[in-house]
Amino acid sequence: MNVAVIKTKAEQAIPELFEKVADTLPGGAKAAPARREAMSRFAAIGLPHRRIEEWKYTDLRTSLKDALAPATEAGLSAEALTAALGPLAAVAGDRIVFVNGIYSAVLSTKFDSSGLLNVAPLSEALASGLANLGAIGADEGQNAVLALNAAFVTDGAVISVADGAEIDTPLLIVNVRAGKTAQSTATRNIINVGTKAKATIIEMFVVAAGATANAQANSATEIKAGDGAEVVHVKCVSDAGEVSHLSNWLVGLGTGTVYRGFQFTSGTRVTRNGINVTYGGENAKLDMSGAFLARGSEHIDTTLVVDHAVPKCESRELFKGVLANHSRGIFQGKIIVRPDAQKTDGKQMAQALMLSPDAEFDSKPELEIYADDVVCGHGSTVAEIDEDLMFYCQSRGIPPGTARALLVQSFIGEALEKIEIETLRDALTSTTLDWLDETKA
Amino acid sequence: MLEIKNLHVKIEDEERQILKGLSLTVPKGEVHAIMGPNGSGKSTLAYVLAGRPGYEVTEGDILWNGESLLEMEPDERAAKGVFLAFQYPMEIPGVAGLTFLRTAANAVRKKRGEAELTTPEFMKVVREKAAKLNIDTEMLKRPVNVGFSGGEKKRSEILQMAMLEPTLCVLDETDSGLDIDALRIVADGVNALRGPDRAMLVITHYQRLLNYIVPDKVHVLSGGQIRKSGDKSLALELEKSGYKEYEGEAA
Ligand SMILES: Nc1ncnc2c1ncn2[C@@H]1O[C@H](COP(=O)(O)OP(=O)(O)OP(=O)(O)O)[C@@H](O)[C@H]1O
Ligand SMILES: [Mg+2]
């Protein structure tokens, strides 16, 4: 059945906005055809809505009412960057910084092309033809959010780690939004980690003091981890305001790759974290976990597809969310085990801690198993703060507010423990405690 | 001084009365033992002293140093010096024992108007007190009570007690589950806290504990009331004859 849907205000505005800025977008003539193709694809499919199964709980036709104009350049001092990073400033690493989706050379580390590691802004790589927007394109299919990203993308990090290179210093892809004008940004990272190489990549999304409360971010990361590579990949979103954050991670693993992914989300009005993982070789190990905090009428959706196409691979997922007030958390986790993928070992768990009876958690685990010799399991729990534990803490003199904080920390800590970088784990713990402090019952 | 006056307690949303007019006085500097059959209400009394939700006091009062505890939150009672060592200590995954101890110790210090302990000060105190209880500080880096053996949990309760320096100590079957050596260590820990400013209420099923923590008085709790009080020889008597003569309601 093909129902002609009336285009929403945003759906109508987006192609118009595109025409206005198309000529100014980086990559010039080299990238223009891919951008136009993506735009026409978007125009055909429109914003995802609840009648599309994967978007059942997150209807962008209603939650993305207006299309905001692409952000423009904004200055940001080093001090303002540190302030924007808050607790995350303590995480050491080499930085590639984007302010309003535009590369900032002053705030970024000077990367020399050692041959082991290459880091460049996408804007430059597009202009020189080193990167193209078709890279993700093949997988984009009906993904309207990715299509929008390809059409509007201004910048991002292009990272390649040479075969056998062990990069100990974490690479921090820092995205800061600044300035008083309502804005949209589209960024894309293209990451290649070579055979038996090691790398740690941390994406951060933060907001500068005094920035507009009205913003839309669309971010995509394509990461290919080669055979035997060891990759740690984290995304931390710590924003505030009427902010939407639409994200896609496309992860491809090789033979024997060990990949540890983590996503932390707080402070956004609407978040959609799309994660797609495909296995290209046997014996790969995936741990994809996350923590999210929502309050007010915030909405955080994590939709994950792990596609086991080859045998003997492992996948582990643990997502934990704290939901206050009228907020809503969504976890959709699909594990596909294709007929050839014998000896697959997959385990998935999603848990929510409800701080209010009005909060909602929708969890939809899906196992699609076409092989017979596999071990796969999933689970989902919803709980409130344990009254007995509250009493135990209070009987030790701990006031109710602090006791609650300890118990939330206890809950979320199990997910944060997945992060091996101590400074990052501590930063996210303190972000959680600050969040709790500011959250009204 | 602890004064429990004609205390009547029932479980919220239930009809059944558990404590039915219990009266008991423990002067400062004294240790009183409470013994009684299973289900007689010993833990209920301990929880009501500490302020656990879910229990309703329908009549009577509990005064500590002349002040009623009944309207106070559990953390306020702790600040006033009340401490309960749980019969079944609880586990808190994801919160390190040291974090918990420090949060608790500094919370009560703050409420008592004392200076909070700095990290080095706290570590020094905790190391000393843990060593006395034969607790490895490595164990305290683990989440509170998670994966601890029964005996380890009980020792960890006594460490918490030592850190909080309470003036009214209620020990609910702290001896259950302890091996002979641990029993002696825990008893030494408790005895170290005995002093003219402290009152203690020790709930136990075994006369053996009272050889180590010698009580000033022993009370028999049965049918929701104190049915008999005596000196330490009462415990020996109970060991021989059991609770037969205290069965059923008080006359
Ligand atoms: N929360 C509760 N809900 C329902 N019944 C309860 C509750 N707490 C206690 N009771 C009941 O009250 C009675 C007294 O229990 P309590 O735990 O105080 O006994 P006790 O003397 O400590 O026993 P034991 O020696 O076995 O530890 C028991 O019959 C018990 O089942
Ligand atoms: Mg009991």
Side-chain angles (χ1 to χ4, degrees):
Chain A
M1 193 174 66
N2 213 339
V3 187
V5 273
I6 297 159
K7 283 197 186 324
T8 66
K9 202 166 124 199
E11 283 170 336
Q12 286 171 26
I14 286 167
E16 290 164 22
L17 283 172
F18 179 73
E19 289 310 327
K20 269 192 209 150
V21 297
D23 292 342
T24 66
L25 292 168
K30 284 203 175 76
R35 291 184 187 276
R36 289 215 166 269
E37 188 277 325
M39 193 64 239
S40 59
R41 197 149 29 92
F42 171 77
I45 54 186
L47 287 169
H49 50 81
R50 63 179 193 283
R51 286 186 302 281
I52 299 172
E53 190 55 25
E54 309 89 273
W55 292 86
K56 188 172 162 193
Y57 301 102
T58 303
D59 190 318
L60 292 187
R61 279 171 60 98
T62 48
S63 57
L64 231 63
K65 288 209 173 56
D66 295 297
L68 302 177
T72 49
E73 212 157 342
L76 191 73
S77 68
E79 295 73 39
L81 171 63
T82 305
L85 284 168
L88 289 172
V91 181
D94 288 333
R95 290 175 180 172
I96 177 161
V97 181
F98 302 91
V99 181
N100 286 356
I102 297 161
Y103 174 62
S104 164
V106 239
L107 295 173
S108 300
T109 305
K110 305 275 167 289
F111 291 93
D112 51 0
S113 312
S114 60
L116 294 179
L117 172 69
N118 268 294
V119 180
L122 179 70
S123 49
E124 287 171 16
L126 284 176
S128 65
L130 278 176
N132 67 73
L133 294 173
I136 297 182
D139 298 327
E140 277 177 30
Q142 291 295 298
N143 189 327
V145 175
L146 273 175
L148 278 180
N149 183 280
F152 285 97
V153 65
T154 50
D155 226 326
V158 179
I159 298 172
S160 72
V161 182
D163 291 350
E166 296 189 5
I167 310 300
D168 295 327
T169 311
L171 290 166
L172 315 182
I173 305 173
V174 180
N175 298 276
V176 194
R177 53 181 202 86
K180 298 218 176 302
T181 328
Q183 51 166 277
S184 65
T185 54
T187 52
R188 177 176 293 213
N189 308 306
I190 301 173
I191 302 168
N192 259 293
V193 182
T195 303
K196 295 201 169 121
K198 281 187 193 172
T200 297
I201 291 142
I202 306 172
E203 302 176 37
M204 299 175 177
F205 289 82
V206 294
V207 53
T212 170
N214 197 2
Q216 297 168 344
N218 180 325
S219 161
T221 297
E222 178 192 37
I223 178 161
K224 285 208 173 74
D227 295 347
E230 284 178 38
V231 179
V232 172
H233 184 197
V234 182
K235 177 167 74 98
C236 312
V237 179
S238 180
D239 209 314
E242 277 301 301
V243 177
S244 67
H245 177 89
L246 306 178
S247 153
N248 277 288
W249 270 15
L250 305 167
V251 182
L253 308 179
T255 303
T257 306
V258 178
Y259 174 99
R260 297 176 66 82
F262 195 92
Q263 298 197 336
F264 179 90
T265 310
S266 74
T268 56
R269 169 68 187 82
V270 182
T271 286
R272 162 75 168 205
N273 288 323
I275 303 171
N276 276 268
V277 183
T278 50
Y279 291 82
E282 297 184 5
N283 296 313
K285 284 188 162 66
L286 166 82
D287 190 311
M288 186 67 82
S289 297
F292 51 92
L293 313 173
R295 62 184 168 206
S297 52
E298 292 169 0
H299 176 117
I300 300 176
D301 172 335
T302 299
T303 295
L304 173 86
V305 180
V306 176
D307 190 345
H308 287 271
V310 294
K312 295 186 200 157
C313 289
E314 184 183 289
S315 59
R316 293 282 178 277
E317 292 95 34
L318 174 66
F319 282 81
K320 295 196 133 198
V322 182
L323 304 172
N325 315 126
H326 288 82
S327 67
R328 191 168 180 195
I330 290 122
F331 179 80
Q332 305 187 94
K334 186 192 274 189
I335 302 178
I336 306 168
V337 182
R338 304 216 177 251
D340 286 342
Q342 298 295 0
K343 308 274 182 211
T344 290
D345 174 358
K347 280 196 190 66
Q348 185 179 86
M349 177 56 86
Q351 298 180 313
L353 179 66
M354 317 298 268
L355 298 185
S356 142
D358 301 323
E360 186 178 329
F361 182 55
D362 300 292
S363 175
K364 199 177 89 184
E366 279 178 277
L367 298 178
E368 271 184 27
I369 301 178
Y370 304 103
D372 47 25
D373 183 15
V374 301
V375 183
C376 280
H378 63 76
S380 172
T381 64
V382 175
E384 289 165 25
I385 294 261
D386 187 313
E387 284 305 316
D388 290 337
L389 285 179
M390 276 297 282
F391 168 62
Y392 189 58
C393 292
Q394 282 186 262
S395 77
R396 268 64 183 134
I398 301 174
T402 314
R404 241 162 67 103
L406 269 184
L407 297 181
V408 170
Q409 202 184 329
S410 153
F411 172 80
I412 214 85
E414 205 194 332
L416 295 182
E417 272 165 25
K418 298 268 191 179
I419 297 173
E420 285 165 348
I421 305 162
E422 203 176 335
T423 50
L424 179 59
R425 200 175 54 233
D426 290 350
L428 296 180
T429 303
S430 79
T431 301
T432 306
L433 294 178
D434 291 347
W435 178 87
L436 206 62
D437 249 5
E438 297 155 9
T439 303
K440 293 179 190 69
Chain B
M1 184 158 75
L2 172 69
E3 296 162 276
I4 303 171
K5 294 178 174 170
N6 189 31
L7 191 67
H8 287 70
V9 173
K10 71 177 201 65
I11 309 289
E12 252 169 35
D13 309 322
E14 271 186 46
E15 284 310 305
R16 196 156 66 96
Q17 207 70 34
I18 299 184
L19 299 181
K20 306 167 191 170
L22 184 148
S23 297
L24 180 66
T25 300
V26 187
K28 274 190 179 177
E30 290 193 8
V31 174
H32 288 202
I34 294 192
M35 304 182 79
N38 292 133
S40 57
K42 302 181 297 298
S43 293
T44 302
L45 171 64
Y47 288 141
V48 171
L49 284 167
R52 185 173 194 153
Y55 295 93
E56 195 185 325
V57 174
T58 52
E59 209 184 318
D61 204 353
I62 303 172
L63 304 181
W64 172 235
N65 295 334
E67 212 178 346
S68 174
L69 291 178
L70 293 185
E71 294 304 313
M72 290 182 202
E73 288 294 313
D75 53 309
E76 296 172 57
R77 300 186 194 201
K80 297 277 182 197
V82 180
F83 184 92
L84 166 64
F86 282 57
Q87 182 173 1
Y88 305 108
M90 295 179 197
E91 300 181 0
I92 314 179
V95 177
L98 285 171
T99 309
F100 184 71
L101 277 173
R102 191 174 165 197
T103 309
N106 279 338
V108 296
R109 291 180 78 91
K110 198 170 158 191
K111 279 203 206 115
R112 290 176 193 162
E114 297 163 18
E116 294 184 33
L117 294 171
T118 63
T119 306
E121 284 167 352
F122 167 77
M123 285 310 297
K124 186 167 172 282
V125 181
V126 108
R127 268 202 201 95
E128 277 169 19
K129 302 205 188 240
K132 281 197 189 121
L133 290 163
N134 219 357
I135 295 174
D136 188 349
T137 27
E138 279 305 305
M139 200 167 97
L140 299 174
K141 290 182 182 159
R142 283 164 44 190
V144 181
N145 290 333
V146 177
F148 286 21
S149 75
E152 285 168 344
K153 283 184 185 169
K154 296 298 178 75
R155 270 184 283 160
S156 126
E157 291 287 287
I158 301 304
L159 176 62
Q160 291 177 18
M161 179 163 101
M163 289 302 297
L164 296 184
E165 299 179 333
T167 43
L168 174 60
C169 305
V170 183
L171 287 85
D172 191 359
E173 293 196 33
T174 300
D175 52 334
S176 304
L178 290 180
D179 67 39
I180 299 156
D181 295 329
L183 182 63
R184 193 184 299 265
I185 291 165
V186 163
D188 287 347
V190 174
N191 284 328
L193 286 169
R194 282 181 91 150
D197 288 330
R198 282 205 174 91
M200 293 196 187
L201 205 53
V202 178
I203 296 168
T204 184
H205 283 297
Y206 306 105
Q207 187 276 329
R208 160 175 226 126
L209 174 73
L210 306 179
N211 288 337
Y212 295 108
I213 305 173
V214 181
D216 297 288
K217 270 196 178 146
V218 175
H219 307 276
V220 178
L221 171 54
S222 182
Q225 293 182 340
I226 299 295
R227 298 288 291 276
K228 189 171 185 183
S229 300
D231 63 11
K232 62 183 178 194
S233 65
L234 177 56
L236 285 165
E237 208 176 285
L238 290 169
E239 191 95 333
K240 274 197 223 96
S241 51
Y243 296 111
K244 253 199 180 67
E245 63 174 288
Y246 309 105
E247 269 168 15
E249 297 291 310

